[in-house]
């Protein structure tokens, strides 16, 4: 059982226990109201139960002996579990009748279609318990949709990582065997050794990207943001990419406003910008250029990376920031790409309370724009020697 499921079970157990105490106290201390209520199945809720249900984050419903809803939380109505005085989910209704019949607490999971916020399917962890001695039943339903989505993403991530790691590891193993068999052929050994270096470098990049992504993917704010010089970030990122650009005779050009500063983590920003430049180089033909430009934008600083590459089809532009997604799989593998670069950029932007966007047209290239909060609240070019206190 997962930690969240255990937490829900514990909370549900506490609530059921608390409500049972309230019901018992009400039955012992409060005068019976049967003179006013001919059918015990429609007895009003004991005092205190309504207050407990009102503060629960989960969907809570109390049914009487005839399956009419005596009380439903706002969450239960928002999710469409309850309309008027009726419980709308047949599976929950059947479970409530079983609990009323034998008095046993039951737990299950259900998927409900067409509920809150336009979600196609909402998943609930459900706990149903008897309430009192007059046939009332308590239904607690906790929305588990986001938790399941996160678990699915985690599973996909592990599966993708396993697949991506198998390729270079398998290649290294095969190349090692080939070199061993070709020990008497110096030329073959040299050729295969170079290939092993390439695969080892690819493996190194993949592991580093996985570590970086795992560190920042929670979208938590940078713990200790500092004043960051955008000029220095661009300079470091371009230096990292010069060798790859030179191999394809691609010119790296920088321009725009100078002296801009942002709040953030310099190392993460260099990593994000390096990934954007590397991506531009990988998808650009030889003898072209990649332009890195900056400009102030109100309370933000914008860094744009433009290339003259193959472009991105419009229907794929929303997916390019997904982990391991590749527009051109063959090209990405040939260049040693990990498929994590743009995902890292997205998470770095989120951790800086910024964003990344893309403009692209097939055959005309792409422009990625990283938007970050400006240091001091306004993106005004600062003198390189400006102090932190003066800028504030």
């Amino acid at each position: 059982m997962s930690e969240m499921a255990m937490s829900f079970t514990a909370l549900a157990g506490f609530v059921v226990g608390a409500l049972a105490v309230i019901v018992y106290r009400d039955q012992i201390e409060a005068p019976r109201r049967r003179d006013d209520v001919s059918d015990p199945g429609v007895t009003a809720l004991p005092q205190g139960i309504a207050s407990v249900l009102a503060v629960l984050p989960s969907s809570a419903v109390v049914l009487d002996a005839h399956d009419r809803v005596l009380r439903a939380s706002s969450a239960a109505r928002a999710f469409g579990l309850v309309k008027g005085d009726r419980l709308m989910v047949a599976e929950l209704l059947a479970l409530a009748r079983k609990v009323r019949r034998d008095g046993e607490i039951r737990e299950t999971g259900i998927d409900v279609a067409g509920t809150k916020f336009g979600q196609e399917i909402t998943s609930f962890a459900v706990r149903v318990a008897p309430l009192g001695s007059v046939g009332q039943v308590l239904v607690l339903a906790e929305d588990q949709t986001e938790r399941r989505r996160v678990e699915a993403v985690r599973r996909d991530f592990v599966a993708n990582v396993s697949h991506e790691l198998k390729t270079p590891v398998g290649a290294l193993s095969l190349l090692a065997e080939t070199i061993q068999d070709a020990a008497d052929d110096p030329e073959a050994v040299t050729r295969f050794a170079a290939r092993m270096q390439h695969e080892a470098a690819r493996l190194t990049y993949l592991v580093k990207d996985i570590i970086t992504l795992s560190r920042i993917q929670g979208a938590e704010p940078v713990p200790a943001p500092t004043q960051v010089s955008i000029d220095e970030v661009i300079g470091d990122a371009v230096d990292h990419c010069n060798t790859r650009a030179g191999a394809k005779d691609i010119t790296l050009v920088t321009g725009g406003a100078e002296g801009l500063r942002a709040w953030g983590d310099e190392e993460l920003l260099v990593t994000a910008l390096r990934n954007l430049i590397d991506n531009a180089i990988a998808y650009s033909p030889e003898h072209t250029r990649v332009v890195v430009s900056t400009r102030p934008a109100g309370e933000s600083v914008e860094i744009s990376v433009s290339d003259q590459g193959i472009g991105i089809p419009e229907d794929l532009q929303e997916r390019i920031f997904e982990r391991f997604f590749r527009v051109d799989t063959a090209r990405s593998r040939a260049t040693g790409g990990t498929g994590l670069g743009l995902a890292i950029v997205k998470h770095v932007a989120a951790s800086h309370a910024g964003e990344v966007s893309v403009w692209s047209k097939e055959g005309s290239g792409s422009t990625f724009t990283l938007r970050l909060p400006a240091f001091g609240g306004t993106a005004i070019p600062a003198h390189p020697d400006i102090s932190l206190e003066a800028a504030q």
Side-chain angles (χ1 to χ4, degrees):
M1 182 181 295
S2 68
E3 184 177 343
M4 290 193 67
M6 292 177 62
S7 299
F8 170 68
T9 300
L11 175 62
F14 171 76
V15 172
V16 171
L19 294 181
V21 171
I22 293 174
V23 170
Y24 176 78
R25 185 185 63 190
D26 185 79
Q27 291 176 340
I28 296 298
E29 298 178 358
R32 294 185 177 274
R33 294 177 284 277
R34 299 197 179 200
D35 294 339
D36 301 323
V37 182
S38 58
D39 186 348
V42 295
T43 302
L45 287 176
Q47 293 181 354
I49 289 185
S51 299
V52 172
L53 297 182
V55 299
L56 288 179
S58 54
S59 300
V61 182
V62 177
L63 301 176
D64 67 12
H66 300 293
D67 296 331
R68 288 190 292 266
V69 175
L70 292 180
R71 172 74 64 173
S73 66
S74 57
R77 296 188 182 278
F79 277 114
L81 302 180
V82 173
K83 288 186 179 179
D85 64 351
R86 296 177 57 203
L87 184 61
M88 303 303 295
V89 182
E91 190 174 352
L92 287 180
L93 196 56
L95 199 62
R97 289 169 179 169
K98 289 180 181 179
V99 170
R100 184 184 296 114
R101 186 167 55 248
D102 59 25
E104 293 185 5
I105 296 175
R106 285 181 167 83
E107 296 180 358
T108 189
I110 63 171
D111 293 330
V112 179
T115 55
K116 191 178 180 184
F117 305 137
Q119 294 176 158
E120 293 183 2
I121 297 292
T122 303
S123 299
F124 292 96
V126 177
R127 186 179 178 92
V128 184
L131 192 63
S133 59
V134 290
Q136 294 178 356
V137 174
L138 170 67
V139 178
L140 292 175
E142 183 75 14
D143 180 13
Q144 302 286 292
T145 308
E146 180 63 18
R147 180 181 65 82
R148 290 192 179 185
R149 186 194 68 79
V150 171
E151 287 180 352
V153 170
R154 185 181 296 114
R155 286 194 302 270
D156 289 344
F157 180 66
V158 171
N160 283 326
V161 167
S162 300
H163 175 74
E164 294 294 332
L165 287 174
K166 284 179 181 178
T167 303
V169 170
L172 286 170
S173 178
L174 182 60
L175 287 167
E177 291 179 8
T178 305
I179 288 178
Q180 189 175 22
D181 294 337
D184 297 331
D185 186 349
E187 184 178 342
V189 169
T190 301
R191 184 170 68 254
F192 291 132
R195 183 62 187 173
M196 287 184 70
Q197 288 181 328
H198 174 80
E199 293 297 338
R202 178 181 173 189
L203 185 60
T204 300
Y205 289 139
L206 179 58
V207 172
K208 287 175 62 178
D209 282 351
I210 291 172
I211 293 172
T212 300
L213 188 58
S214 65
R215 183 161 63 97
I216 62 175
Q217 65 181 350
E220 297 178 359
V222 174
T226 59
Q227 177 187 185
V228 177
S229 167
I230 299 301
D231 293 341
E232 293 181 6
V233 168
I234 293 174
D236 288 348
V238 168
D239 284 344
H240 276 96
C241 301
N242 268 327
T243 301
R244 294 191 65 184
K248 296 180 66 174
D249 192 26
I250 291 177
T251 304
L252 300 182
V253 180
T254 60
E258 297 181 353
L260 295 176
R261 296 173 184 269
W263 280 110
D265 182 300
E266 182 171 350
E267 182 180 353
L268 286 179
L269 292 179
V270 170
T271 298
L273 187 57
R274 175 176 56 80
N275 281 325
L276 287 179
I277 299 173
D278 274 340
N279 194 68
I281 294 170
Y283 288 92
S284 293
E286 296 180 352
H287 317 303
T288 57
R289 67 177 189 166
V290 171
V291 178
V292 183
S293 60
T294 58
R295 74 181 188 96
E299 297 181 352
S300 301
V301 173
E302 291 185 354
I303 309 173
S304 297
V305 178
S306 302
D307 62 56
Q308 298 170 287
I310 61 175
I312 305 167
E314 186 174 354
D315 60 330
L316 298 180
Q317 291 180 18
E318 292 184 0
R319 299 194 57 197
I320 58 176
F321 296 102
E322 296 177 11
R323 289 169 292 189
F324 297 109
F325 181 78
R326 295 176 170 96
V327 175
D328 186 337
T329 303
R331 180 188 294 260
S332 181
R333 292 195 186 279
T335 57
T338 65
L340 294 173
L342 292 181
I344 290 174
V345 174
K346 182 186 74 171
H347 287 292
V348 169
S351 68
H352 283 74
E355 61 180 358
V356 60
S357 58
V358 60
W359 172 93
S360 186
K361 183 177 180 181
E362 287 188 86
S364 299
S366 306
T367 296
F368 287 84
T369 301
L370 182 61
R371 187 172 295 105
L372 305 166
F375 172 74
T378 305
I380 299 175
H383 188 277
D385 295 328
I386 189 171
S387 66
L388 184 64
E389 293 77 9
Q392 290 177 321

